[in-house]
Each structure stands twice: as C-alpha cells, then as structure tokens.
Amino acid sequence: YYTGDISYKNEKDYKNQIDQILDTMEYYNMNAMIFHIRANHDAWYNSKINKVNRQLSNVDFSKFDPLEYVITEAHKRGIEFHAWMNPYRIATRSSASSEFPELEETIPAEWVKDYNKVRIYNPALPEVRQRIADIVADLLQKFDVDGIHFDDYFYPSLTSGESMNDNAEYQKYGSGQGIANFRRANVDAMITKVKETIRAVRPNCLFSVSPQGNYD
C-alpha cells in the first residue's frame, strides 16, 4: 500500500519520488502497488466527477498527468497498479463542533449524510450507487489500471449516542427486512454494481475489498 507522503512540488521532484518508491519495490521483488487515489471525493488524476486532490492543485494536466506516470513506470518494472478508493467518504472532521468543508456543487445535498466525524454519500440511495460506479468507470476508461481496491466501503462507525439517522430511507427502501439487513443489502448492491461496471469496462481488472472487523 502507498498512503502517500508524495507531494507535488514540480514534475521533476514528483517523478523522483515515484521512481524511488518503484525502484525499491522492484529491488524487493514486489509485484503490485496499491496506490491511494481517492480518499475524500477527491482524485489523484484529472476527474470529471471528483475534485482534484489538493496536493495536485498546481499541476497543469495538459502537460503532465501524475497518475499516468505512476502507472506507466510501475508497468515498466513488471509491477501491477491497483487503485485504492474510498467509495462513500466525502470529508472528515475532528468533532461535531468543527465544520465540514463546503459541499461541492457536483454533489447533491440530498445524497449526503453528516455524522459527528465523517460526511459520506448515503449508502441507501440508488443514485449514490450509480455515482460510485460512474467514478470507477471514469477511472478505468482513462487509465490502464490492473485492480480496484475499496476501503471504508461500509456504513460509518459512530460516536457514542449518535444515530445512523436513516429511518426515512428504511421506510422507503426497506421492503420489510430488518434495518441491519437493509444496511448490509445496500452495501451489497453497491459492490455488485461496481463489479458489474468493472466487468463491462475492463473485464481483466481485479476487484478487491478490505472488510472492517466489527464485533457487533
């Protein structure tokens, strides 16, 4: 996994950082890089859906594509490139007394759930599942990605006394099932839709998910 101390000072410095990482991986005979390209509805590439990651704010994408460079250099060394994405998460904050960043115009407010420490896409909505699938399709259409890897694909872990606040969605979409099963089914539907999208756009691309241990 690479969670990123990579910064973009300029093109030469960026390439040097990437080359050092990939050279080290090659030396130790590592065969796959899992690179964090989407943490909070942002993108380590020029996306038509997500905002560009703030670390790339000074990149001229018409002259240089940072993600294309990582993928090309990885493949030169026989290393697979897997894109690590957080599907639901939009923003985080330290506590409920802090402010979330202003919601982007590309995200309808009715698609969002705010909790004490995290703002997410609402997993219960079919429109959200389609949005996540569209993000994956956009990436696969642009880049030679070998795998998609999801983290934080689940409903959020809440702080003490906090409610999931999804009774309205449960009444609309629950179809008589228990609310816990309803939530699990929403996540299942998103994963299925993304898998179908990957198979349609790039059939040989792998799809993996890191589940969260939850004793409850």
Side-chain angles (χ1 to χ4, degrees), residues 167-187:
N167 286 333
E169 293 88 343
Y170 177 57
Q171 292 300 319
K172 184 174 182 179
Y173 298 112
S175 301
Q177 59 189 315
I179 195 164
N181 285 337
F182 165 70
R183 292 170 183 154
R184 280 188 282 267
N186 291 332
V187 175

Side-chain angles (χ1 to χ4, degrees), residues 34-51:
I34 302 180
F35 192 96
H36 206 181
I37 67 163
R38 184 176 186 276
N40 292 294
H41 192 71
D42 56 3
W44 200 265
Y45 56 98
N46 194 16
S47 170
K48 65 182 181 182
I49 302 174
N50 304 302
K51 65 182 180 181

Side-chain angles (χ1 to χ4, degrees), residues 93-97 100 114-118 155-165 216:
R93 60 184 177 182
S94 57
S95 68
S97 60
F100 284 120
D114 285 355
Y115 299 102
N116 285 352
K117 292 190 175 182
V118 66
Y155 275 73
S157 299
L158 303 184
T159 57
S160 178
E162 202 176 0
S163 166
M164 202 67 75
N165 188 28
D216 295 330

Side-chain angles (χ1 to χ4, degrees), residues 88-90 111-115 118-123 156:
Y88 292 132
R89 194 168 65 202
I90 296 173
W111 290 9
V112 170
K113 286 287 187 184
D114 285 355
Y115 299 102
V118 66
R119 166 179 283 168
I120 65 168
Y121 276 119
N122 186 346

Side-chain angles (χ1 to χ4, degrees), residues 75-139:
H75 287 165
K76 281 182 183 178
R77 295 164 173 80
I79 296 171
E80 293 182 0
F81 180 90
H82 294 236
W84 172 9
M85 311 174 79
N86 297 79
Y88 292 132
R89 194 168 65 202
I90 296 173
T92 59
R93 60 184 177 182
S94 57
S95 68
S97 60
S98 305
E99 294 291 331
F100 284 120
E102 184 176 354
L103 191 65
E104 299 166 58
E105 293 181 0
T106 59
I107 307 176
E110 60 270 21
W111 290 9
V112 170
K113 286 287 187 184
D114 285 355
Y115 299 102
N116 285 352
K117 292 190 175 182
V118 66
R119 166 179 283 168
I120 65 168
Y121 276 119
N122 186 346
L125 301 183
E127 299 91 338
V128 163
R129 294 193 280 274
Q130 186 61 56
R131 168 63 63 89
I132 294 170
D134 289 345
I135 291 168
V136 171
D138 177 48
L139 176 76

Side-chain angles (χ1 to χ4, degrees), residues 16-30:
N16 286 339
Q17 292 181 73
I18 295 298
D19 290 347
Q20 288 175 22
I21 293 166
L22 290 171
D23 287 347
T24 301
M25 292 181 68
E26 185 179 26
Y27 177 82
Y28 286 105
N29 296 314
M30 297 180 181

